[in-house]
Amino acid sequence: MTNQRRLRPVDLARSAGVSTQQIRNYEDAGVLPPAARTASGYRAFTEVHRAALLAYRTLMRGYGPVAATRIMRTLHEGDAAGALALVDAAHAALHEERVSLRAASEALELLAAEPPAPLPRSGGLRIGEVAALLGVRTSALRVWEGAGLLMPRRERATGYRLYEPADVRDARLVHTLRRSHYLFDQIRPVLEGLRREGSSDALRAAVAARGEALTARTRVMIEGSGALHGYLASTERTAKGS
């Protein structure tokens, strides 16, 4: 490494389109390997640091800044196997999201196609009964109502919420979608579509959009893995040549 051309923080910053302060932060966080210091105390970076920086920036797009930082820091601590284990864990988590999405899609299609099931008794269910039926807390139902996802009617005499069959169906859908990490803004058009003539088009569109997002993320994660592989190979060549 001693024969490599020295790079200044500004040289690295220009390579990635970040500030020189960010370069210093990256070194402090372990994203970059420790830099040598000149006699006057300035950081002296090399092409190895540039490769680490570009690998991290590529990893970050697919794995996110937290996971990418952990991967690079673990690698620079001398634990290449641990860094690759973190990569494996991220891909495993993405696979679980796909499995969950597929299961949710199948369940939602069945649920959306069925007419609202009859309730255990006539006159509507109260919030505690619906919560018990779904296996959620009453506070969750209130949050979903506050977000405009549920609209149970109120009993005139007591003001208690009363859930009709369609309300219970909607609550089931919200519960299923929330477990698949859908946001309220993504759930709302699904429910609106179901309420309009029982259409499940919005539901299918939401699931399809999530699937497309996962596919796009897979592609950038593969790109990040390739960048990490290239960086690992370059550091191994440097170590052999030193």
Side-chain angles (χ1 to χ4, degrees):
M1 289 180 64
T2 55
N3 294 328
Q4 291 194 40
R5 181 171 65 93
R6 288 181 177 177
L7 299 174
R8 302 166 299 168
V10 67
D11 297 321
L12 290 189
R14 288 170 179 165
S15 298
V18 298
S19 68
T20 54
Q21 182 58 52
Q22 190 65 61
I23 297 299
R24 299 184 187 97
N25 293 343
Y26 284 160
E27 186 193 2
D28 292 341
V31 167
L32 305 181
R37 298 281 179 155
T38 65
S40 55
Y42 290 108
R43 291 174 173 85
F45 294 107
T46 67
E47 289 297 337
V48 170
H49 294 91
R50 192 202 300 273
L53 173 63
L54 297 179
Y56 169 75
R57 298 288 293 182
T58 307
L59 276 171
M60 188 174 63
R61 291 197 292 271
Y63 295 79
V66 174
T69 297
R70 288 185 63 199
I71 291 168
M72 297 300 288
R73 183 171 59 236
T74 302
L75 180 61
H76 293 142
E77 289 171 351
D79 185 6
L84 294 176
L86 292 172
V87 172
D88 291 342
H91 284 272
L94 185 64
H95 172 69
E96 287 301 318
E97 285 191 54
R98 285 190 181 280
V99 171
S100 175
L101 182 65
R102 184 165 59 250
S105 176
E106 293 171 358
L108 289 170
E109 284 294 332
L110 290 173
L111 191 58
E114 295 175 355
L119 302 182
R121 60 179 174 79
S122 60
L125 299 181
R126 291 187 175 175
I127 189 169
E129 294 172 308
V130 177
L133 194 63
L134 271 61
V136 300
R137 296 183 177 182
T138 56
S139 58
L141 293 170
R142 293 190 181 95
V143 169
W144 299 343
E145 182 181 348
L149 302 177
L150 302 179
M151 297 179 291
R153 68 181 177 87
R154 296 279 184 154
E155 193 175 47
R156 181 172 299 179
T158 64
Y160 290 143
R161 296 170 177 85
L162 289 177
Y163 291 77
E164 302 294 346
D167 300 315
V168 176
R169 178 207 62 188
D170 291 349
R172 286 185 187 277
L173 282 170
V174 174
H175 183 42
T176 303
L177 287 167
R178 289 296 290 162
R179 285 187 299 179
S180 294
H181 310 293
Y182 280 85
L183 303 177
F184 288 160
D185 286 343
Q186 296 170 315
I187 297 173
R188 193 171 291 109
V190 174
L191 294 173
E192 290 173 352
L194 288 173
R195 289 166 185 158
R196 289 193 305 268
E197 302 177 350
S199 170
S200 59
D201 289 344
L203 180 150
R204 293 190 183 92
V207 170
R210 181 61 178 162
E212 291 171 1
L214 289 179
T215 297
R217 187 180 170 203
T218 298
R219 292 177 67 92
V220 293
M221 286 177 74
I222 291 172
E223 183 182 3
S225 299
L228 181 64
H229 177 269
Y231 175 59
L232 276 168
S234 70
T235 56
E236 289 170 356
R237 286 194 300 269
T238 300
K240 290 178 181 177
S242 59

